[in-house]
Amino acid sequence: MNAVEPGTIDTPMTAPMHKAPELVAAELAHIPLRRFGSVGEIAPTVAFLCTEHSSYTTGAAFVVDGASDCV
């Protein structure tokens, strides 16, 4: 089994966070790229796992999180 582990992605689900600047600042402090990811940045990893190009990929966790240090 493989997995995609996204960081904080800018979606309707995370939109309420943007109403609280202190929450945004706290989250961004842990992301070296200093921005949230987009769905378009996660989709290629998922697409790769759905193709024959990943046929020899097993037990992998693809972390797509802007190098976040959050756990």
Side-chain angles (χ1 to χ4, degrees):
M1 180 188 321
N2 298 306
V4 178
E5 299 178 8
T8 303
I9 305 302
D10 194 11
T11 67
M13 189 172 159
T14 60
M17 177 191 313
H18 298 292
K19 295 178 182 175
E22 66 280 1
L23 290 178
V24 172
E27 186 74 14
L28 292 178
H30 295 282
I31 304 172
L33 294 181
R34 298 294 183 246
R35 64 179 180 81
F36 298 131
S38 72
V39 172
E41 292 171 304
I42 303 303
T45 304
V46 174
F48 165 73
L49 289 171
C50 293
T51 68
E52 62 187 42
H53 298 292
S54 69
S55 64
Y56 202 62
T57 304
T58 61
F62 293 85
V63 180
V64 187
D65 69 354
S68 174
D69 63 2
C70 292
V71 277

